[in-house]
Amino acid sequence: GSYAPPPHDSSGHTWHHGDGLLFQIVKHGGASLNIPDFKSGMPAFEGNLQDDEIRAVVSYVKTLWGPGERGFQAEVSERDPFP
């Protein structure tokens, strides 16, 4: 009953989101988005990962994207940076 996780390479949509939103989703889970009728299976990692570890995970995922996706995401992250 929940959405499958997207691929985190260039074929997915993770790179459309800024660092701040990606950080929020990893830390607080997919339910933190508060989107009606959106059922995410993404758990919250707040109790398992420190903030610097969450930033490291997001930074690693970025290495899976091509240059165009990284450039686009960098621009989005200027408006939505890591906390």
Side-chain angles (χ1 to χ4, degrees):
S2 63
Y3 288 98
H8 295 307
D9 61 12
S10 295
S11 71
H13 68 267
T14 306
W15 57 272
H16 293 121
H17 305 300
D19 291 339
L21 181 61
L22 296 175
F23 181 91
Q24 173 191 331
I25 294 169
V26 175
K27 184 168 185 167
H28 301 293
S32 71
L33 298 174
N34 295 318
I35 300 172
D37 300 321
F38 177 74
K39 296 179 183 171
S40 171
M42 175 69 180
F45 285 88
E46 185 170 20
N48 299 318
L49 296 174
Q50 300 296 318
D51 288 356
D52 60 329
E53 293 172 310
I54 294 171
R55 287 185 201 96
V57 167
V58 172
S59 295
Y60 167 74
V61 169
K62 293 179 186 188
T63 69
L64 304 174
W65 305 334
E69 292 81 15
R70 285 193 303 271
F72 177 91
Q73 199 272 341
E75 289 180 25
V76 173
S77 292
E78 288 178 12
R79 296 180 301 278
D80 184 21
F82 281 126

